[in-house]
Amino acid sequence: MYEYVNYRDLLISNSEDEYISYSQLLKTYEWKNFRDIIINRDNNQCQVCFKNGSIKYGKFYIRKPTEEEKDLSLARYSMLTNGDDEFKPKYSVITGVRDENPIILHVHHKHYFIDTLPWDYDINDLITVCHQCHQNIHQASIIPVYTNKLKSEIVKLTPCERCFGTGFLNQFYYYENGICFNCNGNKYIEYC
């Protein structure tokens, strides 16, 4: 997991002519806060397949236990008596299970504006999706990129062939949060 930085500090640490990559922008508190607003609005759930997102806990993800896992935990929940019929629990009931195949939620921009920060969009321009649905969206359709917020002119950009323009590789979620190695999270070949 990486450390978040303030956008202002990112600007200060880079020289005037140094390019700030999309992946660097996604490591700012400004993006994290905006992303959290969108995911909370969408109830921590993919708005395409309706799967709940896994919860990040330290360096790994957890999920809610299945009914079978709850029953197994309750079966292990043995009681010890201290002689006066008062019971003390030996094991606690599980509330989360390490998720080996986590559902990682992304915030998908329905369109992009050139030279616009990822968090400088209307809240309705974004949607919460899981990685698989995000990849499907980018494979099935071209996400429009406009020159300005008036949407007067579309720019033709080539999506990264490795991540299909999502900027992420889910199978590498554990390293740098899965940012695509090929495009460095920039989504388009022209920005690599």
Side-chain angles (χ1 to χ4, degrees):
M1 192 168 114
Y2 48 74
E3 294 291 322
Y4 289 100
V5 298
N6 288 312
Y7 178 60
R8 184 175 166 271
D9 294 338
L10 182 61
L11 289 174
I12 291 169
S13 68
N14 287 351
S15 65
E16 278 185 36
D17 57 344
E18 189 176 349
Y19 173 72
I20 297 175
S21 71
Y22 196 72
S23 64
Q24 287 174 295
L25 294 173
L26 297 183
K27 294 176 184 176
T28 62
Y29 284 110
E30 290 81 0
W31 170 247
K32 180 189 180 313
N33 294 336
F34 191 61
R35 178 185 184 279
D36 289 347
I37 290 168
I38 304 300
I39 291 175
N40 286 335
R41 177 200 66 191
D42 294 338
N43 297 315
N44 195 44
Q45 187 177 65
C46 175
Q47 297 301 290
V48 176
C49 70
F50 304 106
K51 290 180 182 172
N52 288 322
S54 300
I55 299 164
K56 189 141 188 161
Y57 185 78
K59 293 186 177 190
F60 56 91
Y61 287 85
I62 61 172
R63 61 174 169 73
K64 291 182 180 177
T66 63
E67 289 303 315
E68 185 177 285
E69 289 166 332
K70 285 181 188 176
D71 291 344
L72 182 61
S73 177
L74 287 172
R76 286 192 212 133
Y77 190 81
S78 64
M79 298 293 193
L80 299 175
T81 182
N82 65 3
D84 58 0
D85 294 330
E86 187 177 324
F87 294 102
K88 293 182 181 176
K90 185 175 180 184
Y91 299 101
S92 61
V93 178
I94 57 172
T95 56
V97 176
R98 186 170 179 161
D99 197 344
E100 298 300 332
N101 296 304
I103 304 295
I104 299 172
L105 297 178
H106 294 199
V107 172
H108 169 67
H109 288 77
K110 296 176 185 176
H111 50 262
Y112 297 103
F113 302 118
I114 296 290
D115 296 329
T116 302
L117 296 168
W119 56 88
D120 196 17
Y121 285 76
D122 183 275
I123 194 168
N124 296 314
D125 291 341
L126 297 103
I127 185 172
T128 302
V129 291
C130 68
H131 171 75
Q132 189 59 54
C133 290
H134 197 195
Q135 192 168 14
N136 292 345
I137 289 168
H138 280 270
Q139 284 178 320
S141 60
I142 295 172
I143 309 305
V145 179
Y146 298 101
T147 56
N148 57 47
K149 290 189 177 184
L150 298 174
K151 299 181 184 178
S152 58
E153 185 181 341
I154 292 182
V155 179
K156 296 267 185 190
L157 296 175
T158 312
C160 171
E161 65 273 0
R162 180 95 192 254
C163 67
F164 304 104
T166 64
F168 295 92
L169 298 169
N170 196 50
Q171 64 270 35
F172 300 110
Y173 71 88
Y174 54 86
Y175 182 77
E176 290 291 320
N177 283 347
I179 289 178
C180 178
F181 305 133
N182 190 47
C183 68
N184 195 30
N186 290 317
K187 303 178 183 197
Y188 298 101
I189 292 173
E190 290 81 359
Y191 289 104
C192 291

PDB file of all heavy atoms in Angstrom, residues 62-82:
ATOM      1  N   ILE A  62     -10.412  -8.247   3.295  1.00  0.00           N
ATOM      2  CA  ILE A  62     -11.332  -9.139   3.995  1.00  0.00           C
ATOM      3  C   ILE A  62     -12.718  -8.996   3.380  1.00  0.00           C
ATOM      4  O   ILE A  62     -13.015  -8.021   2.692  1.00  0.00           O
ATOM      5  CB  ILE A  62     -11.384  -8.857   5.521  1.00  0.00           C
ATOM      6  CG1 ILE A  62     -11.869  -7.427   5.801  1.00  0.00           C
ATOM      7  CG2 ILE A  62     -10.051  -9.137   6.170  1.00  0.00           C
ATOM      8  CD1 ILE A  62     -12.135  -7.158   7.266  1.00  0.00           C
ATOM      9  N   ARG A  63     -13.533  -9.995   3.626  1.00  0.00           N
ATOM     10  CA  ARG A  63     -14.922  -9.989   3.160  1.00  0.00           C
ATOM     11  C   ARG A  63     -15.798 -10.502   4.289  1.00  0.00           C
ATOM     12  O   ARG A  63     -15.302 -11.043   5.274  1.00  0.00           O
ATOM     13  CB  ARG A  63     -15.081 -10.860   1.920  1.00  0.00           C
ATOM     14  CG  ARG A  63     -14.726 -12.306   2.174  1.00  0.00           C
ATOM     15  CD  ARG A  63     -15.021 -13.205   0.991  1.00  0.00           C
ATOM     16  NE  ARG A  63     -14.428 -14.511   1.173  1.00  0.00           N
ATOM     17  CZ  ARG A  63     -14.872 -15.442   2.012  1.00  0.00           C
ATOM     18  NH1 ARG A  63     -15.950 -15.222   2.744  1.00  0.00           N
ATOM     19  NH2 ARG A  63     -14.264 -16.597   2.140  1.00  0.00           N
ATOM     20  N   LYS A  64     -17.097 -10.344   4.112  1.00  0.00           N
ATOM     21  CA  LYS A  64     -18.029 -10.884   5.093  1.00  0.00           C
ATOM     22  C   LYS A  64     -17.991 -12.405   5.006  1.00  0.00           C
ATOM     23  O   LYS A  64     -17.883 -12.973   3.923  1.00  0.00           O
ATOM     24  CB  LYS A  64     -19.445 -10.393   4.807  1.00  0.00           C
ATOM     25  CG  LYS A  64     -19.642  -8.924   5.066  1.00  0.00           C
ATOM     26  CD  LYS A  64     -21.074  -8.514   4.799  1.00  0.00           C
ATOM     27  CE  LYS A  64     -21.257  -7.046   5.072  1.00  0.00           C
ATOM     28  NZ  LYS A  64     -22.615  -6.594   4.746  1.00  0.00           N
ATOM     29  N   PRO A  65     -18.080 -13.083   6.138  1.00  0.00           N
ATOM     30  CA  PRO A  65     -18.057 -14.549   6.098  1.00  0.00           C
ATOM     31  C   PRO A  65     -19.358 -15.102   5.514  1.00  0.00           C
ATOM     32  O   PRO A  65     -20.429 -14.498   5.638  1.00  0.00           O
ATOM     33  CB  PRO A  65     -17.903 -14.944   7.569  1.00  0.00           C
ATOM     34  CG  PRO A  65     -18.424 -13.786   8.337  1.00  0.00           C
ATOM     35  CD  PRO A  65     -18.152 -12.565   7.493  1.00  0.00           C
ATOM     36  N   THR A  66     -19.268 -16.270   4.872  1.00  0.00           N
ATOM     37  CA  THR A  66     -20.458 -16.951   4.379  1.00  0.00           C
ATOM     38  C   THR A  66     -21.202 -17.549   5.574  1.00  0.00           C
ATOM     39  O   THR A  66     -20.651 -17.640   6.679  1.00  0.00           O
ATOM     40  CB  THR A  66     -20.077 -18.087   3.411  1.00  0.00           C
ATOM     41  OG1 THR A  66     -19.315 -19.062   4.139  1.00  0.00           O
ATOM     42  CG2 THR A  66     -19.270 -17.564   2.222  1.00  0.00           C
ATOM     43  N   GLU A  67     -22.408 -18.005   5.358  1.00  0.00           N
ATOM     44  CA  GLU A  67     -23.179 -18.636   6.438  1.00  0.00           C
ATOM     45  C   GLU A  67     -22.463 -19.893   6.940  1.00  0.00           C
ATOM     46  O   GLU A  67     -22.439 -20.166   8.136  1.00  0.00           O
ATOM     47  CB  GLU A  67     -24.599 -18.975   5.968  1.00  0.00           C
ATOM     48  CG  GLU A  67     -25.490 -17.756   5.778  1.00  0.00           C
ATOM     49  CD  GLU A  67     -25.603 -16.905   7.039  1.00  0.00           C
ATOM     50  OE1 GLU A  67     -25.787 -17.455   8.145  1.00  0.00           O
ATOM     51  OE2 GLU A  67     -25.510 -15.663   6.910  1.00  0.00           O
ATOM     52  N   GLU A  68     -21.844 -20.628   6.019  1.00  0.00           N
ATOM     53  CA  GLU A  68     -21.099 -21.832   6.402  1.00  0.00           C
ATOM     54  C   GLU A  68     -19.909 -21.475   7.296  1.00  0.00           C
ATOM     55  O   GLU A  68     -19.647 -22.146   8.299  1.00  0.00           O
ATOM     56  CB  GLU A  68     -20.615 -22.555   5.141  1.00  0.00           C
ATOM     57  CG  GLU A  68     -19.935 -23.876   5.409  1.00  0.00           C
ATOM     58  CD  GLU A  68     -19.543 -24.571   4.119  1.00  0.00           C
ATOM     59  OE1 GLU A  68     -20.447 -25.115   3.446  1.00  0.00           O
ATOM     60  OE2 GLU A  68     -18.338 -24.545   3.801  1.00  0.00           O
ATOM     61  N   GLU A  69     -19.215 -20.405   6.950  1.00  0.00           N
ATOM     62  CA  GLU A  69     -18.077 -19.970   7.768  1.00  0.00           C
ATOM     63  C   GLU A  69     -18.536 -19.478   9.133  1.00  0.00           C
ATOM     64  O   GLU A  69     -17.873 -19.720  10.137  1.00  0.00           O
ATOM     65  CB  GLU A  69     -17.299 -18.869   7.037  1.00  0.00           C
ATOM     66  CG  GLU A  69     -16.527 -19.391   5.845  1.00  0.00           C
ATOM     67  CD  GLU A  69     -16.024 -18.303   4.921  1.00  0.00           C
ATOM     68  OE1 GLU A  69     -16.644 -17.221   4.847  1.00  0.00           O
ATOM     69  OE2 GLU A  69     -14.998 -18.533   4.254  1.00  0.00           O
ATOM     70  N   LYS A  70     -19.686 -18.820   9.182  1.00  0.00           N
ATOM     71  CA  LYS A  70     -20.239 -18.388  10.466  1.00  0.00           C
ATOM     72  C   LYS A  70     -20.586 -19.596  11.334  1.00  0.00           C
ATOM     73  O   LYS A  70     -20.300 -19.614  12.524  1.00  0.00           O
ATOM     74  CB  LYS A  70     -21.486 -17.533  10.262  1.00  0.00           C
ATOM     75  CG  LYS A  70     -21.212 -16.139   9.792  1.00  0.00           C
ATOM     76  CD  LYS A  70     -22.519 -15.387   9.653  1.00  0.00           C
ATOM     77  CE  LYS A  70     -22.324 -14.042   9.007  1.00  0.00           C
ATOM     78  NZ  LYS A  70     -23.618 -13.360   8.792  1.00  0.00           N
ATOM     79  N   ASP A  71     -21.229 -20.607  10.717  1.00  0.00           N
ATOM     80  CA  ASP A  71     -21.606 -21.817  11.455  1.00  0.00           C
ATOM     81  C   ASP A  71     -20.377 -22.539  11.989  1.00  0.00           C
ATOM     82  O   ASP A  71     -20.368 -23.016  13.122  1.00  0.00           O
ATOM     83  CB  ASP A  71     -22.419 -22.764  10.558  1.00  0.00           C
ATOM     84  CG  ASP A  71     -23.799 -22.212  10.237  1.00  0.00           C
ATOM     85  OD1 ASP A  71     -24.246 -21.264  10.932  1.00  0.00           O
ATOM     86  OD2 ASP A  71     -24.425 -22.706   9.281  1.00  0.00           O
ATOM     87  N   LEU A  72     -19.326 -22.601  11.167  1.00  0.00           N
ATOM     88  CA  LEU A  72     -18.083 -23.243  11.601  1.00  0.00           C
ATOM     89  C   LEU A  72     -17.483 -22.493  12.786  1.00  0.00           C
ATOM     90  O   LEU A  72     -17.019 -23.098  13.747  1.00  0.00           O
ATOM     91  CB  LEU A  72     -17.090 -23.295  10.442  1.00  0.00           C
ATOM     92  CG  LEU A  72     -15.763 -23.984  10.700  1.00  0.00           C
ATOM     93  CD1 LEU A  72     -15.978 -25.458  11.072  1.00  0.00           C
ATOM     94  CD2 LEU A  72     -14.886 -23.889   9.463  1.00  0.00           C
ATOM     95  N   SER A  73     -17.535 -21.176  12.722  1.00  0.00           N
ATOM     96  CA  SER A  73     -17.014 -20.362  13.823  1.00  0.00           C
ATOM     97  C   SER A  73     -17.828 -20.595  15.088  1.00  0.00           C
ATOM     98  O   SER A  73     -17.282 -20.715  16.179  1.00  0.00           O
ATOM     99  CB  SER A  73     -17.042 -18.884  13.435  1.00  0.00           C
ATOM    100  OG  SER A  73     -16.613 -18.093  14.516  1.00  0.00           O
ATOM    101  N   LEU A  74     -19.151 -20.666  14.951  1.00  0.00           N
ATOM    102  CA  LEU A  74     -20.006 -20.908  16.113  1.00  0.00           C
ATOM    103  C   LEU A  74     -19.759 -22.292  16.703  1.00  0.00           C
ATOM    104  O   LEU A  74     -19.826 -22.477  17.916  1.00  0.00           O
ATOM    105  CB  LEU A  74     -21.475 -20.747  15.741  1.00  0.00           C
ATOM    106  CG  LEU A  74     -21.928 -19.305  15.521  1.00  0.00           C
ATOM    107  CD1 LEU A  74     -23.343 -19.268  14.963  1.00  0.00           C
ATOM    108  CD2 LEU A  74     -21.855 -18.517  16.817  1.00  0.00           C
ATOM    109  N   ALA A  75     -19.455 -23.269  15.830  1.00  0.00           N
ATOM    110  CA  ALA A  75     -19.178 -24.624  16.322  1.00  0.00           C
ATOM    111  C   ALA A  75     -17.916 -24.628  17.185  1.00  0.00           C
ATOM    112  O   ALA A  75     -17.807 -25.388  18.145  1.00  0.00           O
ATOM    113  CB  ALA A  75     -19.017 -25.581  15.148  1.00  0.00           C
ATOM    114  N   ARG A  76     -16.953 -23.744  16.836  1.00  0.00           N
ATOM    115  CA  ARG A  76     -15.721 -23.647  17.612  1.00  0.00           C
ATOM    116  C   ARG A  76     -15.899 -22.796  18.861  1.00  0.00           C
ATOM    117  O   ARG A  76     -15.009 -22.713  19.686  1.00  0.00           O
ATOM    118  CB  ARG A  76     -14.620 -23.021  16.753  1.00  0.00           C
ATOM    119  CG  ARG A  76     -14.087 -23.940  15.714  1.00  0.00           C
ATOM    120  CD  ARG A  76     -12.822 -23.321  15.141  1.00  0.00           C
ATOM    121  NE  ARG A  76     -12.712 -23.697  13.754  1.00  0.00           N
ATOM    122  CZ  ARG A  76     -12.439 -22.882  12.763  1.00  0.00           C
ATOM    123  NH1 ARG A  76     -12.216 -21.616  12.987  1.00  0.00           N
ATOM    124  NH2 ARG A  76     -12.357 -23.320  11.537  1.00  0.00           N
ATOM    125  N   TYR A  77     -17.031 -22.159  18.975  1.00  0.00           N
ATOM    126  CA  TYR A  77     -17.301 -21.225  20.064  1.00  0.00           C
ATOM    127  C   TYR A  77     -17.632 -22.044  21.313  1.00  0.00           C
ATOM    128  O   TYR A  77     -18.770 -22.272  21.664  1.00  0.00           O
ATOM    129  CB  TYR A  77     -18.456 -20.325  19.647  1.00  0.00           C
ATOM    130  CG  TYR A  77     -18.715 -19.149  20.552  1.00  0.00           C
ATOM    131  CD1 TYR A  77     -17.960 -17.995  20.445  1.00  0.00           C
ATOM    132  CD2 TYR A  77     -19.731 -19.180  21.492  1.00  0.00           C
ATOM    133  CE1 TYR A  77     -18.201 -16.904  21.243  1.00  0.00           C
ATOM    134  CE2 TYR A  77     -19.989 -18.094  22.306  1.00  0.00           C
ATOM    135  CZ  TYR A  77     -19.222 -16.966  22.172  1.00  0.00           C
ATOM    136  OH  TYR A  77     -19.468 -15.873  22.964  1.00  0.00           O
ATOM    137  N   SER A  78     -16.602 -22.551  21.945  1.00  0.00           N
ATOM    138  CA  SER A  78     -16.833 -23.394  23.120  1.00  0.00           C
ATOM    139  C   SER A  78     -16.893 -22.522  24.373  1.00  0.00           C
ATOM    140  O   SER A  78     -16.257 -21.486  24.461  1.00  0.00           O
ATOM    141  CB  SER A  78     -15.718 -24.433  23.239  1.00  0.00           C
ATOM    142  OG  SER A  78     -14.497 -23.791  23.461  1.00  0.00           O
ATOM    143  N   MET A  79     -17.679 -22.965  25.307  1.00  0.00           N
ATOM    144  CA  MET A  79     -17.849 -22.215  26.544  1.00  0.00           C
ATOM    145  C   MET A  79     -17.135 -22.928  27.691  1.00  0.00           C
ATOM    146  O   MET A  79     -17.107 -24.141  27.768  1.00  0.00           O
ATOM    147  CB  MET A  79     -19.332 -22.106  26.892  1.00  0.00           C
ATOM    148  CG  MET A  79     -20.135 -21.377  25.874  1.00  0.00           C
ATOM    149  SD  MET A  79     -19.639 -19.666  25.845  1.00  0.00           S
ATOM    150  CE  MET A  79     -20.947 -18.989  24.893  1.00  0.00           C
ATOM    151  N   LEU A  80     -16.577 -22.128  28.529  1.00  0.00           N
ATOM    152  CA  LEU A  80     -15.940 -22.654  29.734  1.00  0.00           C
ATOM    153  C   LEU A  80     -16.724 -22.146  30.935  1.00  0.00           C
ATOM    154  O   LEU A  80     -17.117 -20.999  30.984  1.00  0.00           O
ATOM    155  CB  LEU A  80     -14.488 -22.160  29.827  1.00  0.00           C
ATOM    156  CG  LEU A  80     -13.555 -22.560  28.704  1.00  0.00           C
ATOM    157  CD1 LEU A  80     -12.198 -21.894  28.897  1.00  0.00           C
ATOM    158  CD2 LEU A  80     -13.394 -24.069  28.660  1.00  0.00           C
ATOM    159  N   THR A  81     -16.945 -22.990  31.870  1.00  0.00           N
ATOM    160  CA  THR A  81     -17.654 -22.573  33.068  1.00  0.00           C
ATOM    161  C   THR A  81     -16.654 -22.316  34.188  1.00  0.00           C
ATOM    162  O   THR A  81     -15.628 -22.956  34.264  1.00  0.00           O
ATOM    163  CB  THR A  81     -18.694 -23.623  33.509  1.00  0.00           C
ATOM    164  OG1 THR A  81     -19.370 -23.126  34.651  1.00  0.00           O
ATOM    165  CG2 THR A  81     -18.062 -24.954  33.824  1.00  0.00           C
ATOM    166  N   ASN A  82     -16.956 -21.349  35.002  1.00  0.00           N
ATOM    167  CA  ASN A  82     -16.049 -21.063  36.120  1.00  0.00           C
ATOM    168  C   ASN A  82     -16.619 -21.596  37.436  1.00  0.00           C
ATOM    169  O   ASN A  82     -16.207 -21.201  38.504  1.00  0.00           O
ATOM    170  CB  ASN A  82     -15.745 -19.563  36.204  1.00  0.00           C
ATOM    171  CG  ASN A  82     -16.964 -18.737  36.545  1.00  0.00           C
ATOM    172  OD1 ASN A  82     -18.054 -19.281  36.774  1.00  0.00           O
ATOM    173  ND2 ASN A  82     -16.794 -17.437  36.581  1.00  0.00           N
TER     174      ASN A  82
END
